Amino acid sequence: MVQPTQQNIEDLAGAALAELSALDSLESLEQWRIAYLGRRGSLTVVLRGLAGLDIEERRRIGALANQAKQSLESGLEARTREINEAALLRAAQEDRLDVTLPGRYPAEGRLHPTTQIVREICAAFAGMGFSVVEGPEVEWDHYNFEMLNIPKGHPARDMWNTLWVDYTNEAGEQPMLLRTHTSPMQARVMESRRPPVRVIVPGKCYRYEATDATHEWHFYQVEGLAVDEGITFANLKGTLYEFARRLFGEERRVRFRCDYFPFVEPGVDMSIDCFACQGASGQAQDGGCRICRDSGWIEIMGAGMVHPRVLSGVGYDPDKYTGFAFGLGPERIAMLKYGIDDIRHFYANDLRFLRQF
Ligand code: FA5
């Protein structure tokens, strides 16, 4: 065992304190503590050597050794505090709140273009006294076809490519389908209320369709229905003309041509004069008008006077009541209004497309 002397205690303490002042992490401080003050640390070993000294020397050197131990311990405490404070200061500086930085904007959503145009269409008709109702997207054959004067086996069923649902009721009589149009709501509404009726029905429809630039397999329609005593074809024309002007501008002209739908008689399709080329059919230059394909007219909906069979089917007296109905495609209207060249953009979930509206 080494005999401790004043010199080697002073040398040891001096070296330890010099080493301590150069340390800059809590881990290195811990290693330093173990090296000098730990159970087998240098100073601890020296203290153990005191036992071999005579009594006088032990008292003197022992006092010196204790002083050295205290100065090492308080040096360690001070250095620990310094390192902790420096770390705190560093963290405070690094995490400092810079109030001049611009704020982070939350991701902002917007209405889908179909929702926007459906709302615009509903607002136009609401202003003319129509109220909005909605109905089921999964529908009975009964409402989608039968009540609309399209019995089983009728060739007019071919006009609507149908997605059938594999379900029949207990009697096995009621085939179900994804509604091919919003017209079934005509019968549902008339069954549930007495005239006067004035409703519009926005909603989704589904068809077993090979998609192309103007056909989707699911799309929206807005149905309209007005039934009362004395409603004439003039009311249909006036209402739809006013709608076209509200949506496409005051100067729009409209055109009605005969068309066939089993649930109206007479049936028509309605076109507006092209707002892009101002109806300048055949006079367009530079390759023609891509909106109306140079015809000067754009077809926007099917319509007609409600068929007497549809009225009597819901219990209305067709000698007393008459009405008109119409059905339009909002996506097609949005395509015309905003110059969109392919209906498939609407539901492809491409934000670059959707953000434009
Ligand atoms: C009908 O669906 C009739 N129910 C409309 C009607 C109602 C006529 C009331 C008379 C009285 P049609 O199949 O033509 O008719 O569709 C109406 C509109 O829905 C079309 O003008 C078009 O704008 C839109 N449409 C039809 N099929 C598609 C499709 N595959 N993709 C996108 N839009 C479509």
Side-chain angles (χ1 to χ4, degrees):
M1 174 125 353
V2 188
Q3 293 272 308
T5 64
Q6 179 168 354
Q7 188 62 47
N8 66 21
I9 288 173
E10 283 170 1
D11 287 351
L12 184 66
L17 290 172
E19 202 181 304
L20 181 65
S21 65
L23 300 180
D24 59 2
S25 72
L26 294 176
E27 295 78 42
S28 58
L29 287 187
E30 177 58 7
Q31 278 162 16
W32 179 91
R33 188 192 66 73
I34 293 166
Y36 289 100
L37 300 168
R39 238 165 21 94
R40 289 196 203 114
S42 319
L43 190 60
T44 315
V45 170
V46 169
L47 285 170
R48 266 192 219 122
L50 288 173
L53 297 177
D54 63 42
I55 185 90
E56 268 309 302
E57 216 28 21
R58 195 188 312 159
R59 193 170 293 138
R60 194 177 69 80
I61 301 292
L64 279 173
N66 272 331
Q67 260 175 26
K69 188 178 179 207
Q70 270 168 24
S71 78
L72 258 60
E73 281 172 349
S74 55
L76 175 65
E77 203 178 299
R79 191 74 195 122
T80 306
R81 202 176 322 116
E82 278 168 21
I83 288 177
N84 279 333
E85 279 169 6
L88 258 177
L89 200 69
R90 217 173 24 249
Q93 271 168 355
E94 277 166 11
D95 295 348
R96 208 176 46 198
L97 181 68
D98 182 355
V99 290
T100 64
L101 275 177
R104 289 193 195 115
Y105 286 98
E108 210 177 78
R110 67 186 68 202
L111 292 179
H112 190 278
T114 306
T115 309
Q116 290 183 37
I117 199 84
V118 166
R119 287 192 182 179
E120 218 177 303
I121 293 165
C122 289
F125 283 111
M128 291 186 267
F130 286 76
S131 54
V132 177
V133 294
E134 288 181 313
E137 289 175 21
V138 183
E139 186 54 282
W140 299 111
D141 176 292
H142 175 74
Y143 287 108
N144 197 83
F145 292 128
E146 301 274 332
M147 295 292 279
L148 294 172
N149 196 28
I150 316 172
K152 282 185 189 60
H154 194 293
R157 286 199 177 208
D158 296 346
M159 291 167 70
W160 292 279
N161 307 316
T162 310
L163 288 161
W164 295 97
V165 174
D166 190 10
Y167 175 84
T168 46
N169 72 353
E170 281 156 18
E173 288 163 350
Q174 278 230 37
M176 243 186 186
L177 47 93
L178 298 181
R179 69 177 173 195
T180 56
H181 50 177
T182 41
S183 299
M185 278 303 287
Q186 289 185 28
R188 282 184 179 273
V189 167
M190 287 191 281
E191 271 182 350
S192 67
R193 58 178 89 172
R194 304 299 306 163
V197 170
R198 234 182 306 169
V199 294
I200 47 166
V201 189
K204 243 179 177 182
C205 308
Y206 303 82
R207 291 187 191 175
Y208 183 59
E209 196 93 69
T211 61
D212 62 25
T214 51
H215 293 82
E216 257 294 3
W217 68 272
H218 67 104
F219 54 95
Y220 275 73
Q221 281 191 345
V222 178
E223 189 84 7
L225 175 71
V227 183
D228 202 355
E229 286 181 54
I231 289 197
T232 68
F233 198 80
N235 298 121
L236 177 153
K237 286 175 73 178
T239 305
L240 296 183
Y241 183 33
E242 179 57 24
F243 163 73
R245 293 199 320 167
R246 286 185 186 202
L247 215 75
F248 293 102
E250 285 292 314
E251 67 288 354
R252 289 283 63 81
R253 291 182 299 137
V254 303
R255 179 183 77 177
F256 292 96
R257 286 187 310 182
C258 284
D259 202 349
Y260 172 68
F261 301 96
F263 35 93
V264 288
E265 182 58 39
V268 292
D269 68 42
M270 181 182 129
S271 304
I272 56 172
D273 64 330
C274 179
F275 49 84
C277 67
Q278 308 304 325
S281 160
Q283 298 162 29
Q285 291 163 6
D286 302 331
C289 175
R290 68 190 185 91
I291 303 287
C292 68
R293 294 204 182 91
D294 235 8
S295 72
W297 295 97
I298 302 164
E299 188 184 319
I300 60 170
M301 70 175 97
M305 299 304 290
V306 181
H307 198 289
R309 279 213 196 144
V310 175
L311 293 174
S312 55
V314 295
Y316 286 8
D317 178 356
D319 293 328
K320 187 172 175 197
Y321 296 112
T322 49
F324 65 83
F326 55 88
L328 53 90
E331 291 94 347
R332 296 251 184 103
I333 288 189
M335 287 171 79
L336 296 171
K337 208 168 165 185
Y338 303 119
I340 300 164
D341 60 4
D342 196 317
I343 197 170
R344 289 167 293 195
H345 290 312
F346 281 83
Y347 306 113
N349 292 331
D350 187 339
L351 291 179
R352 290 169 305 176
F353 169 75
L354 297 172
R355 283 202 178 111
Q356 297 175 68
F357 303 96

